[in-house]
Amino acid sequence: MSRARPSTVLSTIVLILMSGLAVVSMGAQAGDDSSSGRIAASNWTVAETLVALGVEPYAVSDIPNYDEWVKAPAIPESTLDMGLRNEPNLELLAQNPPDLLMTSALFSRDNARLERLMPVKVIDNFYTDQPYYEATLAMTREVASLTGRQPQAEALIAETNQVLEQAAHDLEDAATPLYIVQFSDAQHVRVFGQGNMIGTLFSRTALTNAWTGPTNAWGYASIPIDRLAEHPEARIVIIKPYPRGVGDELDNNQIWQHLPAVREGRVSYIDPVWPYGGLISLQRLARSLVAVSTPSPAATEGRP
């Protein structure tokens, strides 16, 4: 039997090693919990997307406020709280760094310090040159690519398109304009326009936005509540929660109490949903707007 030449043997060994590394790399990209399943997210939208795709995050920023303001999908109990979104707990992360930290451009000022501890990837559906919905689809697919959840991402996108189509059908007779707001304090609201998921729903359904003024990069304007009287015929839809104490203050707020929509019982409340979030938040908001736009009066009017 002929003996293999040394160069051939060496080439074979190199090929085997490269193949092995490729398999390991593919396993990591596929989200294998034994290799690179430890994904941290400082961005709530990315955290929401990870959970929606079936990835259990290793760490997420400010879970208590996520639970209050984003609500769903729920962060697993095993996920670590890594501190505030704009001030991650570096000591905690340094003790056992994740395999990858997904963050957003909003929090990128900490990247230099974070990158000394772990790989950091900026993933955003804002601060892009795309409209909200297209940017959110791209973000979802990027998270899926990094975690090997491409089939789950495509299923989520298809489901979201179905929800949007159903919402358009259910709201086809909607005629009354509406303000969609979140309170920032008892005197001011964030009123939503174009450039976010709320603008997406206005553009894809027959709903009419009573707010036609300018908005910021996040698709809202901060205004005093008396400006909600500029279109007295409009309904007001409030996205909960209230900031602390605001609900009680509104009981004695004469400006709020004398708004036409408030006096005439045209105020509706929907459960917390993150207006800057991912596809699950978009689905929840679409269903909520359908529910309050075709409601029984007792279900949505009055104090929550």
Side-chain angles (χ1 to χ4, degrees):
M1 186 174 72
S2 61
R3 185 176 296 176
R5 293 166 53 186
S7 59
T8 304
V9 174
L10 181 59
S11 298
T12 302
I13 292 173
V14 169
L15 286 172
I16 292 172
L17 289 173
M18 291 179 64
S19 299
L21 288 172
V23 170
V24 171
S25 175
M26 289 174 64
Q29 291 179 9
D32 183 349
D33 291 338
S34 65
S35 54
S36 66
R38 301 193 317 154
I39 308 293
S42 63
N43 180 345
W44 283 346
T45 302
V46 169
E48 167 195 328
T49 303
L50 286 167
V51 177
L53 297 180
V55 178
E56 186 172 306
Y58 170 65
V60 167
S61 291
D62 200 0
I63 295 175
N65 274 317
Y66 176 101
D67 292 340
E68 184 174 7
W69 291 89
V70 186
K71 203 79 174 177
I75 300 297
E77 291 185 4
S78 60
T79 299
L80 298 175
D81 190 314
M82 53 182 270
L84 300 179
R85 288 177 293 160
N86 60 340
E87 294 182 12
N89 188 330
L90 296 180
E91 292 183 1
L92 175 67
L93 293 172
Q95 290 174 14
N96 198 2
D99 298 298
L100 177 65
L101 172 65
M102 296 182 180
T103 186
S104 74
L106 184 63
F107 312 125
S108 60
R109 66 182 181 84
D110 287 321
N111 283 0
R113 290 185 298 166
L114 291 167
E115 286 171 348
R116 291 198 290 267
L117 300 174
M118 71 207 77
V120 175
K121 179 74 172 176
V122 174
I123 301 177
D124 236 318
N125 62 336
F126 284 86
Y127 300 103
T128 74
D129 58 357
Q130 295 179 293
Y132 162 82
Y133 189 57
E134 287 73 14
T136 302
L137 295 183
M139 178 208 68
T140 302
R141 289 183 168 119
E142 184 174 10
V143 172
S145 177
L146 290 167
T147 58
R149 297 303 198 278
Q150 291 93 333
Q152 291 89 336
E154 295 309 317
L156 177 60
I157 290 168
E159 178 184 77
T160 303
N161 284 327
Q162 290 177 354
V163 170
L164 293 176
E165 290 171 7
Q166 185 63 48
H169 176 268
D170 293 339
L171 295 168
E172 59 188 5
D173 295 325
T176 304
L178 68 158
Y179 292 106
I180 301 179
V181 306
Q182 272 188 324
F183 275 87
S184 49
D185 58 44
Q187 303 295 332
H188 300 86
V189 294
R190 292 181 290 271
V191 60
F192 294 95
Q194 296 300 315
N196 55 28
M197 70 170 61
I198 294 167
T200 295
L201 289 172
F202 278 122
S203 68
R204 288 173 172 259
T205 70
L207 290 173
T208 300
N209 195 345
W211 178 255
T212 57
T215 58
N216 62 15
W218 293 85
Y220 70 82
S222 293
I223 62 170
I225 57 176
D226 60 358
R227 295 199 62 183
L228 298 177
E230 290 177 358
H231 291 279
E233 78 285 6
R235 295 168 49 223
I236 298 174
V237 176
I238 298 171
I239 302 176
K240 298 188 286 185
Y242 287 134
R244 183 173 299 176
V246 167
D248 293 333
E249 290 181 51
L250 290 178
D251 288 339
N252 300 313
N253 185 321
Q254 293 302 307
I255 296 175
W256 175 252
Q257 295 298 331
H258 284 86
L259 289 176
V262 177
R263 289 200 320 265
E264 298 167 16
R266 289 181 279 110
V267 179
S268 300
Y269 304 83
I270 64 177
D271 286 339
V273 62
W274 192 233
Y276 327 103
L279 297 182
I280 292 295
S281 289
L282 177 59
Q283 289 184 24
R284 292 180 59 238
L285 182 62
R287 293 187 176 108
S288 295
L289 287 176
V290 168
V292 300
S293 298
T294 54
S296 63
T300 59
E301 294 176 0
R303 277 289 302 274

